[in-house]
Amino acid sequence: AVFEEGKEDALHTSNGHVKLHNARLKSIQDDHLYHIALSTGSDDLRRLFGDVKVVCFGGQATRMEKFAWFIAREFDVSDTVHNFAAGTDRYAVYKAGPVLSVSHGIGIPSLSIVFQEIVKLIYYAGCENVTFFRIGTCGGIGLEPGTYILGRAVERPAKVDSDLIRQLHACSQNEDKFKTVLGTTLCADDFYEGQGRMDGAFCEHEEEEKLLWLREIADRGVTNMEMESLGFTALCDRANIPGAVCCVTLVDRCEGDGITNNLQLLQEWQTYPQILVARYIRNRLDL
Ligand code: R2B
Ligand code: URA
């Protein structure tokens, strides 16, 4: 493994390195980051990833590849991008200069697996002062956090880094084609009934009940809903990594449930959070 003499301190103290909260990792000679097809024994993670400063997660592999190309060209930091996780079809991991672009699939369980392996990756690589973003999609308009470990419910607060979201919000510009708002995100375990939709294979509620619920959550500050933010912010907090979620709305749920099939429009919309985060990266890294 790649732990160095004296490096153990980094397990408990912060000098900009990611803290690992699992000292047992020290005894693993060759840690296989199985779902991203990298390992400490076979890959020189320091050389490959040591300069990473920002990790952006998003659901789809092709979108995250496009984002990596966008960063590579926009900041002239790389001639090409490469999927380091090509050895598996589970997730994709692209790198463009100091930015890692990672797909996470749908839902918290899928996100949390790749999140853990990426935290280990940036630890093994010795990265410093890393910030995480989820750039994704959501439906526009506080739930209990919790996960099960050894059969017991474990609660972890899904705290957001308020400085970071304010900095990100400040990256919006009047001329933007899109409006950027700060708000509370409702995180659901399902896209259809779990988000009150009426166009799934099943539906046991009426339009009026749905609209009442949407109004109720809107009154509590909810501006959008998606499927990973709760796990993402809780894991960032647990890993002591500043993180923020920035999603584009694909539909106004007060108007309807269906998502347009205009692929060109959908693709354009999905660049909006990327544009915002790219501005943050430019300011932060002085690119
Ligand atoms: C947004 O979009 C996906 C569902 O279509 C899900 O990953 C999410 O959070
Ligand atoms: N993703 C979601 O989870 N919900 C939406 O309405 C749109 C995208």
Side-chain angles (χ1 to χ4, degrees), residues 6-262:
K7 188 89 207 262
E8 291 107 81
D9 288 351
L11 290 168
H12 305 292
T13 64
S14 174
N15 54 359
H17 287 106
V18 177
K19 288 190 279 184
L20 269 204
H21 299 269
N22 184 4
R24 288 164 204 83
L25 292 178
K26 280 191 290 182
S27 61
I28 302 180
Q29 286 305 308
D30 183 5
D31 192 356
H32 296 166
L33 307 177
Y34 166 61
H35 300 89
I36 54 174
L38 290 164
S39 73
T40 55
S42 331
D43 300 289
D44 185 347
L45 300 180
R46 261 172 199 277
R47 184 181 62 78
L48 294 172
F49 300 105
D51 63 337
V52 168
K53 295 282 181 229
V54 175
V55 182
C56 294
F57 293 85
Q60 304 163 45
T62 47
R63 168 152 49 88
M64 298 323 284
E65 179 181 4
K66 283 188 191 146
F67 177 65
W69 277 109
F70 168 53
I71 293 294
R73 294 198 181 111
E74 182 81 6
F75 300 138
D76 203 11
V77 284
S78 178
D79 295 335
T80 186
V81 305
H82 164 75
N83 180 9
F84 287 91
T88 163
D89 283 339
R90 300 286 189 187
Y91 303 99
V93 176
Y94 293 93
K95 184 171 180 299
V99 179
L100 216 55
S101 182
V102 180
S103 71
H104 61 57
I106 291 184
I108 295 175
S110 178
L111 169 93
S112 78
I113 293 166
V114 72
F115 189 102
Q116 298 233 7
E117 292 183 5
I118 292 293
V119 171
K120 292 206 286 180
L121 173 75
I122 63 176
Y123 179 73
Y124 288 131
C127 304
E128 287 170 26
N129 298 317
V130 178
T131 300
F132 280 11
F133 290 106
R134 169 170 135 69
I135 44 177
T137 58
C138 61
I141 34 150
L143 296 175
E144 287 302 308
T147 183
Y148 276 81
I149 300 174
L150 300 182
R152 283 189 289 272
V154 175
E155 289 205 354
R156 288 183 179 158
K159 284 192 220 143
V160 295
D161 188 311
S162 44
D163 285 343
L164 187 58
I165 54 172
R166 254 181 257 121
Q167 285 164 22
L168 197 59
H169 188 232
C171 291
S172 65
Q173 297 172 357
N174 289 337
E175 313 78 68
D176 284 341
K177 281 201 250 168
F178 50 90
K179 194 167 111 188
T180 304
V181 300
L182 286 177
T184 301
T185 300
L186 182 145
C187 185
D189 276 341
D190 171 41
F191 180 81
Y192 289 101
E193 290 179 287
Q195 295 185 23
R197 280 194 159 79
M198 306 188 64
D199 60 348
F202 320 103
C203 177
E204 291 167 19
H205 56 266
E206 298 301 325
E207 179 80 11
E208 201 170 312
E209 292 170 287
K210 180 185 89 173
L211 292 176
L212 261 177
W213 177 66
L214 289 174
R215 219 167 297 135
E216 188 187 314
I217 59 175
D219 286 347
R220 290 162 66 180
V222 172
T223 48
N224 64 339
M225 57 180 94
E226 42 77 276
M227 298 180 61
E228 294 86 16
S229 55
L230 189 65
F232 185 79
T233 47
L235 287 166
C236 284
D237 186 58
R238 178 69 185 85
N240 206 20
I241 293 172
V245 177
C246 176
C247 290
V248 64
T249 58
L250 303 182
V251 58
D252 180 352
R253 291 297 315 287
C254 298
E255 305 292 328
D257 294 340
I259 310 270
T260 175
N261 66 352
N262 182 334

